[in-house]
C-alpha cells in the first residue's frame, strides 16, 4: 500500500513500481469541509472521475497514455 501523511510531505518514490508497470497515478484536488457541503465535495470527485473515464485526461496528455476504461479508485481521509 501507499501512505501519504500529508499533501506537503508525500514521498512519491513508492509509486515507482506502479509507474514501471505502465500504470498511471492520478491525485485529485477537491474542496474540503467545513468550507463546502458534502455534495460539493462529491461533485468535485465525480467531475475528476468523469474527466479520467471519458478520455479527457488521455486527450490532454496527447493520447495513448491513460485508459480511462480501466480505473481503480482508492482514497483515505483528508482529515488530520
Amino acid at each position: 500500500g501507499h501512505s501519504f501523511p500529508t499533501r506537503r510531505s508525500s514521498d512519491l518514490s513508492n509509486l515507482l513500481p506502479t509507474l514501471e508497470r505502465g500504470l498511471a497515478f492520478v491525485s485529485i484536488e477537491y474542496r474540503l469541509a467545513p468550507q463546502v457541503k458534502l455534495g460539493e465535495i462529491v461533485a468535485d470527485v465525480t467531475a475528476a472521475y468523469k474527466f479520467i473515464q471519458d478520455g479527457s485526461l488521455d486527450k490532454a496528455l496527447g493520447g495513448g497514455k491513460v485508459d480511462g476504461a480501466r480505473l481503480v479508485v482508492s482514497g483515505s481521509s483528508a482529515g488530520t
Side-chain angles (χ1 to χ4, degrees):
H2 302 295
S3 176
F4 300 129
T6 70
R7 292 189 297 174
R8 304 242 189 301
S9 66
S10 298
D11 176 10
L12 300 180
S13 64
N14 56 1
L15 293 176
L16 290 178
T18 301
L19 298 173
E20 289 168 352
R21 289 183 177 88
L23 303 173
F25 177 85
V26 178
S27 179
I28 64 168
E29 290 283 331
Y30 54 90
R31 297 169 289 172
L32 302 174
Q35 289 80 13
V36 297
K37 302 278 188 207
L38 177 60
E40 294 170 284
I41 296 168
V42 171
D44 290 349
V45 174
T46 300
Y49 177 84
K50 287 179 181 178
F51 183 78
I52 297 164
Q53 188 182 42
D54 72 10
S56 296
L57 175 61
D58 186 58
K59 185 176 179 180
L61 294 173
K65 299 187 183 349
V66 178
D67 181 356
R70 300 178 65 200
L71 185 62
V72 174
V73 177
S74 177
S76 61
S77 173
T80 56

Coordinates of all heavy atoms in Angstrom, one line a residue:
G1 N 0.8 -1.2 0.0 CA 0.0 0.0 0.0 C 0.9 1.3 0.0 O 2.1 1.2 0.1
H2 N 0.2 2.4 -0.1 CA 0.9 3.7 -0.1 C 0.4 4.5 1.0 O -0.8 4.5 1.4 CB 0.6 4.4 -1.4 CG 1.0 3.7 -2.7 ND1 2.3 3.4 -2.9 CD2 0.3 3.1 -3.7 CE1 2.4 2.7 -4.0 NE2 1.2 2.5 -4.5
S3 N 1.3 5.2 1.7 CA 0.9 6.1 2.8 C 1.5 7.4 2.6 O 2.7 7.6 2.4 CB 1.4 5.5 4.1 OG 1.2 6.3 5.1
F4 N 0.6 8.4 2.5 CA 1.0 9.8 2.4 C 0.5 10.6 3.6 O -0.7 10.9 3.7 CB 0.4 10.4 1.1 CG 0.8 9.7 -0.1 CD1 -0.1 9.3 -1.1 CD2 2.1 9.4 -0.4 CE1 0.2 8.6 -2.2 CE2 2.5 8.8 -1.6 CZ 1.6 8.4 -2.5
P5 N 1.4 10.9 4.6 CA 1.0 11.5 5.8 C 0.3 12.9 5.5 O -0.7 13.2 6.1 CB 2.3 11.7 6.6 CG 3.2 10.7 6.0 CD 2.8 10.5 4.6
T6 N 0.8 13.7 4.6 CA 0.2 14.9 4.3 C 0.5 15.2 2.8 O 1.4 14.6 2.2 CB 0.7 16.1 5.1 OG1 2.1 16.4 4.7 CG2 0.7 15.9 6.6
R7 N -0.3 16.2 2.3 CA 0.0 16.5 0.9 C 1.3 17.2 0.7 O 2.0 17.1 -0.3 CB -1.1 17.5 0.4 CG -2.4 16.8 0.2 CD -3.4 17.7 -0.5 NE -3.7 18.9 0.3 CZ -4.4 19.9 -0.2 NH1 -5.0 19.9 -1.3 NH2 -4.6 21.0 0.6
R8 N 1.8 17.8 1.7 CA 3.1 18.5 1.7 C 4.3 17.6 1.9 O 5.4 17.9 1.5 CB 3.1 19.6 2.7 CG 1.9 20.6 2.5 CD 2.4 22.0 2.2 NE 1.4 23.0 2.2 CZ 0.3 23.1 1.5 NH1 -0.1 22.1 0.8 NH2 -0.5 24.1 1.5
S9 N 4.1 16.5 2.6 CA 5.3 15.6 2.9 C 5.1 14.2 2.3 O 5.5 13.2 2.9 CB 5.4 15.5 4.4 OG 4.3 14.8 4.9
S10 N 4.7 14.2 1.0 CA 4.5 12.9 0.4 C 5.8 12.4 -0.2 O 6.5 13.2 -0.9 CB 3.4 13.0 -0.8 OG 2.2 13.4 -0.2
D11 N 6.1 11.1 0.0 CA 7.3 10.5 -0.6 C 6.8 9.7 -1.8 O 6.1 8.7 -1.6 CB 8.0 9.6 0.4 CG 9.1 8.8 -0.2 OD1 9.5 9.1 -1.4 OD2 9.6 7.9 0.4
L12 N 7.0 10.2 -3.0 CA 6.4 9.6 -4.2 C 7.3 8.4 -4.7 O 6.9 7.8 -5.7 CB 6.2 10.6 -5.3 CG 5.3 11.8 -4.9 CD1 5.2 12.8 -6.1 CD2 3.9 11.3 -4.5
S13 N 8.4 8.1 -4.1 CA 9.3 7.0 -4.5 C 8.6 5.7 -4.5 O 8.9 4.8 -5.3 CB 10.6 7.0 -3.7 OG 10.3 6.7 -2.4
N14 N 7.6 5.5 -3.6 CA 6.9 4.2 -3.6 C 5.9 4.1 -4.7 O 5.3 3.0 -4.9 CB 6.2 4.0 -2.2 CG 5.2 5.2 -1.9 OD1 5.0 6.1 -2.7 ND2 4.6 5.1 -0.8
L15 N 5.8 5.1 -5.6 CA 4.9 4.9 -6.8 C 5.7 4.4 -8.0 O 5.1 4.0 -9.0 CB 4.4 6.3 -7.2 CG 3.3 6.9 -6.2 CD1 2.9 8.3 -6.7 CD2 2.2 6.0 -6.1
L16 N 7.0 4.3 -7.9 CA 7.9 3.9 -9.0 C 7.5 2.5 -9.5 O 7.4 2.3 -10.7 CB 9.3 3.9 -8.6 CG 9.9 5.4 -8.5 CD1 11.4 5.3 -8.1 CD2 9.7 6.1 -9.8
P17 N 7.2 1.5 -8.6 CA 6.8 0.2 -9.1 C 5.5 0.3 -9.9 O 5.4 -0.4 -10.9 CB 6.6 -0.7 -7.9 CG 7.5 0.0 -6.9 CD 7.4 1.5 -7.2
T18 N 4.6 1.1 -9.5 CA 3.4 1.3 -10.3 C 3.6 1.9 -11.6 O 3.1 1.4 -12.7 CB 2.4 2.2 -9.5 OG1 2.2 1.6 -8.2 CG2 1.1 2.4 -10.2
L19 N 4.4 2.9 -11.7 CA 4.7 3.6 -13.0 C 5.5 2.7 -13.9 O 5.3 2.7 -15.1 CB 5.5 4.9 -12.7 CG 4.8 5.9 -11.9 CD1 5.7 7.1 -11.6 CD2 3.5 6.4 -12.6
E20 N 6.4 1.8 -13.3 CA 7.2 0.9 -14.1 C 6.4 -0.1 -14.8 O 6.7 -0.7 -15.8 CB 8.3 0.3 -13.3 CG 9.4 1.3 -12.9 CD 10.4 0.7 -11.8 OE1 10.1 -0.4 -11.2 OE2 11.4 1.4 -11.6
R21 N 5.2 -0.4 -14.2 CA 4.3 -1.4 -14.8 C 3.4 -0.8 -15.9 O 2.5 -1.4 -16.4 CB 3.4 -2.0 -13.7 CG 4.2 -3.0 -12.8 CD 3.3 -3.6 -11.8 NE 4.0 -4.6 -11.0 CZ 4.6 -4.3 -9.9 NH1 4.7 -3.1 -9.4 NH2 5.3 -5.2 -9.2
G22 N 3.6 0.5 -16.1 CA 2.8 1.2 -17.1 C 1.5 1.7 -16.6 O 0.6 2.1 -17.4
L23 N 1.3 1.8 -15.3 CA 0.1 2.3 -14.7 C 0.2 3.7 -14.4 O 1.3 4.2 -14.1 CB -0.3 1.5 -13.5 CG -0.4 0.0 -13.7 CD1 -0.6 -0.7 -12.3 CD2 -1.6 -0.4 -14.6
A24 N -0.9 4.5 -14.5 CA -0.9 5.9 -14.2 C -1.4 6.1 -12.8 O -2.2 5.4 -12.3 CB -1.8 6.7 -15.2
F25 N -0.8 7.1 -12.1 CA -1.2 7.5 -10.8 C -1.8 8.9 -10.9 O -1.1 9.8 -11.4 CB -0.1 7.5 -9.8 CG -0.4 8.0 -8.4 CD1 -1.0 7.1 -7.5 CD2 -0.2 9.3 -8.1 CE1 -1.3 7.5 -6.2 CE2 -0.6 9.7 -6.8 CZ -1.1 8.8 -5.9
V26 N -3.0 9.1 -10.5 CA -3.6 10.4 -10.6 C -4.1 10.9 -9.2 O -4.8 10.1 -8.5 CB -4.9 10.4 -11.5 CG1 -5.5 11.8 -11.6 CG2 -4.5 9.9 -12.9
S27 N -3.7 12.0 -8.8 CA -4.1 12.6 -7.5 C -4.9 13.8 -7.8 O -4.5 14.7 -8.5 CB -2.8 12.9 -6.7 OG -3.2 13.5 -5.4
I28 N -6.1 13.8 -7.2 CA -7.0 15.0 -7.5 C -7.1 15.9 -6.3 O -6.9 15.5 -5.1 CB -8.4 14.5 -7.9 CG1 -9.1 13.7 -6.7 CG2 -8.3 13.6 -9.1 CD1 -10.5 13.5 -6.9
E29 N -7.4 17.1 -6.6 CA -7.7 18.1 -5.5 C -9.2 18.3 -5.5 O -9.9 18.3 -6.5 CB -7.1 19.5 -5.9 CG -5.6 19.5 -5.8 CD -5.1 19.6 -4.4 OE1 -5.7 20.2 -3.5 OE2 -3.9 19.1 -4.2
Y30 N -9.7 18.4 -4.3 CA -11.1 18.7 -4.1 C -11.3 19.6 -2.9 O -10.4 19.6 -2.0 CB -11.9 17.4 -4.0 CG -11.4 16.5 -2.9 CD1 -11.9 16.5 -1.6 CD2 -10.5 15.5 -3.2 CE1 -11.5 15.7 -0.6 CE2 -10.0 14.7 -2.2 CZ -10.5 14.7 -0.9 OH -10.0 13.9 0.0
R31 N -12.4 20.3 -2.9 CA -12.7 21.2 -1.7 C -13.0 20.4 -0.5 O -13.5 19.3 -0.6 CB -13.8 22.1 -2.1 CG -13.4 23.0 -3.3 CD -14.6 23.8 -3.8 NE -15.5 22.8 -4.5 CZ -16.7 23.1 -4.9 NH1 -17.2 24.4 -4.8 NH2 -17.5 22.2 -5.6
L32 N -12.7 20.9 0.7 CA -12.9 20.2 1.9 C -13.9 20.9 2.8 O -14.2 22.1 2.7 CB -11.6 20.2 2.7 CG -10.4 19.5 2.0 CD1 -9.1 19.6 2.8 CD2 -10.7 18.0 1.7
A33 N -14.6 20.1 3.6 CA -15.5 20.6 4.7 C -14.6 21.2 5.7 O -13.4 20.8 5.9 CB -16.3 19.4 5.2
P34 N -15.0 22.2 6.5 CA -16.4 22.7 6.5 C -16.6 23.8 5.5 O -17.7 24.4 5.5 CB -16.5 23.1 7.9 CG -15.2 23.6 8.3 CD -14.2 22.7 7.6
Q35 N -15.6 24.2 4.7 CA -15.8 25.3 3.8 C -16.9 25.0 2.8 O -17.6 26.0 2.3 CB -14.5 25.7 3.1 CG -13.5 26.3 3.9 CD -12.7 25.3 4.8 OE1 -12.8 24.1 4.6 NE2 -12.0 25.8 5.8
V36 N -17.1 23.8 2.4 CA -18.2 23.4 1.5 C -19.0 22.2 2.0 O -18.5 21.5 2.9 CB -17.6 23.0 0.1 CG1 -16.9 24.2 -0.6 CG2 -16.6 21.9 0.2
K37 N -20.1 22.0 1.5 CA -21.0 20.9 1.9 C -20.6 19.6 1.2 O -19.9 19.6 0.2 CB -22.5 21.2 1.5 CG -23.0 22.5 2.1 CD -23.4 22.2 3.5 CE -24.1 23.5 4.0 NZ -24.0 23.6 5.4
L38 N -21.0 18.5 1.8 CA -20.6 17.2 1.2 C -21.0 17.0 -0.2 O -20.2 16.5 -1.0 CB -21.3 16.1 2.1 CG -21.0 14.6 1.6 CD1 -19.5 14.3 1.6 CD2 -21.8 13.7 2.4
G39 N -22.1 17.5 -0.6 CA -22.5 17.4 -2.0 C -21.5 18.1 -3.0 O -21.3 17.6 -4.1
E40 N -20.9 19.2 -2.6 CA -19.9 19.8 -3.4 C -18.6 19.0 -3.5 O -18.0 19.0 -4.6 CB -19.6 21.2 -2.9 CG -20.8 22.2 -3.0 CD -20.6 23.5 -2.2 OE1 -20.7 23.4 -1.0 OE2 -20.3 24.5 -2.9
I41 N -18.2 18.4 -2.4 CA -17.1 17.5 -2.4 C -17.3 16.3 -3.4 O -16.4 16.0 -4.2 CB -16.7 17.0 -1.0 CG1 -16.4 18.2 -0.1 CG2 -15.6 16.0 -1.0 CD1 -16.3 17.9 1.4
V42 N -18.5 15.7 -3.2 CA -18.8 14.6 -4.1 C -18.8 15.1 -5.6 O -18.3 14.3 -6.5 CB -20.2 14.0 -3.7 CG1 -20.6 13.0 -4.8 CG2 -20.1 13.4 -2.3
A43 N -19.3 16.3 -5.9 CA -19.3 16.8 -7.2 C -17.9 17.0 -7.8 O -17.6 16.7 -8.9 CB -20.1 18.1 -7.3
D44 N -17.0 17.4 -6.9 CA -15.6 17.6 -7.3 C -15.0 16.2 -7.7 O -14.3 16.1 -8.8 CB -14.7 18.2 -6.2 CG -15.0 19.7 -5.9 OD1 -15.7 20.3 -6.8 OD2 -14.5 20.2 -4.9
V45 N -15.2 15.2 -6.9 CA -14.6 13.9 -7.1 C -15.2 13.3 -8.3 O -14.6 12.7 -9.1 CB -14.7 13.0 -5.8 CG1 -14.3 11.6 -6.1 CG2 -13.9 13.6 -4.7
T46 N -16.5 13.4 -8.5 CA -17.3 12.9 -9.6 C -16.8 13.5 -10.9 O -16.5 12.8 -11.9 CB -18.8 13.1 -9.5 OG1 -19.2 12.4 -8.3 CG2 -19.5 12.6 -10.7
A47 N -16.5 14.8 -10.9 CA -16.0 15.5 -12.1 C -14.6 15.0 -12.5 O -14.3 14.8 -13.7 CB -16.0 17.0 -11.9
A48 N -13.8 14.8 -11.5 CA -12.4 14.2 -11.8 C -12.5 12.8 -12.3 O -11.8 12.5 -13.3 CB -11.6 14.3 -10.5
Y49 N -13.4 12.0 -11.7 CA -13.6 10.6 -12.2 C -14.0 10.6 -13.7 O -13.5 9.9 -14.5 CB -14.6 9.9 -11.3 CG -14.9 8.5 -11.8 CD1 -14.1 7.4 -11.4 CD2 -16.0 8.3 -12.5 CE1 -14.4 6.2 -11.8 CE2 -16.3 7.0 -13.0 CZ -15.5 5.9 -12.6 OH -15.8 4.7 -13.0
K50 N -15.0 11.4 -14.0 CA -15.5 11.5 -15.4 C -14.5 12.0 -16.3 O -14.4 11.5 -17.5 CB -16.8 12.4 -15.4 CG -18.0 11.8 -14.8 CD -19.2 12.7 -14.9 CE -20.4 12.0 -14.2 NZ -21.6 12.9 -14.2
F51 N -13.6 13.0 -15.9 CA -12.6 13.5 -16.7 C -11.6 12.4 -17.1 O -11.1 12.4 -18.2 CB -11.8 14.6 -16.0 CG -10.7 15.3 -16.7 CD1 -11.0 16.3 -17.7 CD2 -9.4 15.0 -16.5 CE1 -10.0 16.9 -18.4 CE2 -8.4 15.7 -17.2 CZ -8.7 16.6 -18.1
I52 N -11.3 11.5 -16.2 CA -10.4 10.4 -16.5 C -11.1 9.3 -17.3 O -10.6 8.9 -18.3 CB -9.9 9.8 -15.1 CG1 -9.1 10.8 -14.3 CG2 -9.1 8.5 -15.4 CD1 -8.9 10.4 -12.9
Q53 N -12.3 9.0 -16.9 CA -13.0 7.9 -17.5 C -13.4 8.2 -19.0 O -13.4 7.3 -19.8 CB -14.3 7.5 -16.7 CG -15.0 6.2 -17.2 CD -16.2 5.9 -16.5 OE1 -17.0 6.8 -16.1 NE2 -16.4 4.6 -16.2
D54 N -13.8 9.4 -19.3 CA -14.3 9.7 -20.6 C -13.2 10.0 -21.6 O -13.5 10.3 -22.8 CB -15.3 10.8 -20.6 CG -14.7 12.2 -20.3 OD1 -13.5 12.4 -20.3 OD2 -15.5 13.1 -20.1
G55 N -11.9 9.9 -21.2 CA -10.8 10.0 -22.1 C -10.3 11.5 -22.1 O -9.3 11.7 -22.9
S56 N -10.9 12.4 -21.4 CA -10.4 13.7 -21.4 C -8.9 13.9 -20.9 O -8.2 14.6 -21.5 CB -11.3 14.7 -20.6 OG -12.6 14.7 -21.2
L57 N -8.6 13.1 -19.9 CA -7.2 13.2 -19.3 C -6.3 12.6 -20.4 O -5.2 13.3 -20.7 CB -7.1 12.4 -18.0 CG -5.7 12.3 -17.5 CD1 -5.1 13.6 -17.1 CD2 -5.7 11.3 -16.3
D58 N -6.6 11.5 -21.0 CA -5.7 11.0 -22.0 C -5.5 11.9 -23.2 O -4.4 12.2 -23.6 CB -6.3 9.6 -22.6 CG -5.3 9.0 -23.5 OD1 -4.2 8.7 -23.1 OD2 -5.7 8.7 -24.7
K59 N -6.6 12.6 -23.6 CA -6.5 13.6 -24.7 C -5.6 14.7 -24.3 O -4.8 15.2 -25.1 CB -7.9 14.1 -25.1 CG -7.9 15.0 -26.2 CD -9.4 15.4 -26.6 CE -9.4 16.3 -27.8 NZ -10.7 16.7 -28.2
A60 N -5.8 15.2 -23.0 CA -5.0 16.3 -22.6 C -3.5 15.9 -22.5 O -2.6 16.8 -22.6 CB -5.4 16.7 -21.2
L61 N -3.2 14.6 -22.3 CA -1.8 14.2 -22.3 C -1.2 13.8 -23.6 O -0.1 13.3 -23.7 CB -1.7 13.0 -21.3 CG -2.0 13.3 -19.8 CD1 -2.0 12.1 -19.0 CD2 -0.9 14.3 -19.3
G62 N -2.0 14.0 -24.7 CA -1.5 13.7 -26.0 C -2.0 12.3 -26.6 O -1.7 12.0 -27.7
G63 N -2.8 11.6 -25.8 CA -3.4 10.3 -26.3 C -2.5 9.1 -26.1 O -1.2 9.2 -26.2
G64 N -3.1 8.0 -25.9 CA -2.4 6.7 -25.8 C -1.6 6.5 -24.5 O -0.8 5.7 -24.4
K65 N -2.0 7.3 -23.5 CA -1.3 7.2 -22.2 C -2.1 6.7 -21.1 O -1.6 6.0 -20.2 CB -0.7 8.6 -21.8 CG 0.3 9.1 -22.8 CD 1.0 10.3 -22.3 CE 1.9 11.0 -23.3 NZ 2.4 10.4 -24.5
V66 N -3.4 7.0 -21.0 CA -4.3 6.6 -19.9 C -5.5 6.0 -20.5 O -6.2 6.6 -21.3 CB -4.7 7.9 -19.1 CG1 -5.6 7.5 -18.0 CG2 -3.4 8.5 -18.5
D67 N -5.8 4.8 -20.1 CA -7.0 4.1 -20.5 C -8.1 4.3 -19.4 O -8.1 3.7 -18.4 CB -6.7 2.6 -20.6 CG -8.0 1.8 -21.0 OD1 -9.1 2.3 -21.2 OD2 -7.8 0.5 -21.3
G68 N -9.0 5.3 -19.7 CA -10.0 5.6 -18.7 C -11.0 4.6 -18.4 O -11.7 4.6 -17.4
A69 N -11.0 3.5 -19.3 CA -12.0 2.4 -19.0 C -11.4 1.4 -18.0 O -12.2 0.6 -17.4 CB -12.2 1.7 -20.3
R70 N -10.1 1.5 -17.7 CA -9.5 0.7 -16.7 C -9.1 1.6 -15.5 O -8.0 2.1 -15.5 CB -8.3 -0.1 -17.3 CG -8.8 -0.9 -18.4 CD -7.6 -1.6 -19.1 NE -7.0 -2.6 -18.1 CZ -5.8 -3.0 -18.2 NH1 -5.0 -2.7 -19.2 NH2 -5.4 -3.9 -17.3
L71 N -9.9 1.7 -14.5 CA -9.7 2.7 -13.4 C -9.9 2.0 -12.1 O -10.9 1.3 -11.9 CB -10.7 3.8 -13.6 CG -10.6 5.0 -12.7 CD1 -9.3 5.7 -12.9 CD2 -11.7 6.0 -13.1
V72 N -9.0 2.3 -11.2 CA -9.1 1.8 -9.8 C -9.1 3.1 -9.0 O -8.4 4.0 -9.2 CB -7.9 1.0 -9.4 CG1 -8.0 0.7 -7.9 CG2 -7.8 -0.3 -10.2
V73 N -10.1 3.2 -8.0 CA -10.2 4.3 -7.2 C -9.8 3.9 -5.8 O -10.3 2.9 -5.2 CB -11.7 4.9 -7.2 CG1 -11.8 6.0 -6.3 CG2 -12.1 5.2 -8.6
S74 N -9.0 4.7 -5.1 CA -8.6 4.5 -3.8 C -8.5 5.8 -3.1 O -8.3 6.9 -3.7 CB -7.2 3.9 -3.8 OG -6.7 3.7 -2.5
G75 N -8.7 5.8 -1.8 CA -8.6 7.0 -1.0 C -8.5 6.8 0.5 O -8.6 5.7 0.9
S76 N -8.3 7.9 1.1 CA -8.3 7.8 2.6 C -8.8 9.2 3.1 O -9.0 10.1 2.3 CB -6.9 7.6 3.1 OG -6.0 8.6 2.7
S77 N -8.8 9.3 4.4 CA -9.3 10.6 4.9 C -8.4 11.8 4.6 O -7.2 11.6 4.6 CB -9.4 10.4 6.5 OG -9.7 11.7 7.0
A78 N -9.0 12.9 4.3 CA -8.3 14.1 4.0 C -8.1 14.8 5.3 O -7.4 15.9 5.4 CB -9.0 15.0 3.0
G79 N -8.6 14.3 6.4 CA -8.5 15.0 7.7 C -7.2 14.7 8.4 O -6.4 14.0 7.8
T80 N -7.0 15.3 9.5 CA -5.8 15.0 10.2 C -5.9 14.0 11.3 O -6.9 13.6 11.6 CB -5.3 16.3 10.9 OG1 -6.4 16.8 11.8 CG2 -5.0 17.4 9.9

